[in-house]
Amino acid sequence: MEEATVGIREFKARLSRYLRRVKAGETVLITERGKPVGRVVPVQPGAEERTRTLTHLGMLAWDGHHLQALTPPARLRRHPTVADLLLEDRR
């Protein structure tokens, strides 16, 4: 991935040009008096979009449904200490 370096004044003056470059996949490093102050990077697709793409390419099988959250099988009434766990394990 390429990275263009541009001063803040140049960036402000030609914002549309640099945004087109970002849309094309390039990263733009913004500097002020030669020191980096920011970076504009292309947006990465979300997990669902990547999953749909992989499914479409035949690299993944997914029915589109989300998994339900699992509930813990048991809950402790209090948090046991390490000593309690050691004693229980030795019994």
Side-chain angles (χ1 to χ4, degrees):
M1 175 168 52
E2 289 187 41
E3 181 172 89
T5 302
V6 62
I8 198 164
R9 285 188 187 146
E10 169 78 9
F11 182 74
K12 285 171 54 175
R14 297 197 167 101
L15 178 63
S16 296
R17 175 180 164 200
Y18 288 106
L19 287 180
R20 278 193 298 275
R21 291 173 75 169
V22 171
K23 285 180 184 179
E26 193 173 340
T27 298
V28 177
L29 178 66
I30 304 166
T31 61
E32 183 178 47
R33 296 188 181 119
K35 295 184 180 180
V37 294
R39 181 175 279 128
V40 182
V41 297
V43 174
Q44 299 297 320
E48 273 194 46
E49 187 176 337
R50 288 191 311 262
T51 303
R52 274 192 227 105
T53 301
L54 290 172
T55 303
H56 179 72
L57 294 173
M59 300 174 71
L60 180 70
W62 182 48
D63 63 1
H65 293 95
H66 295 279
L67 297 175
Q68 293 181 0
L70 297 175
T71 56
R75 294 181 189 222
L76 298 174
R77 292 182 188 265
R78 64 178 181 87
H79 297 286
T81 63
V82 173
D84 292 336
L85 294 172
L86 284 173
L87 288 174
E88 183 180 322
D89 188 46
R90 291 182 182 171
R91 290 183 194 158

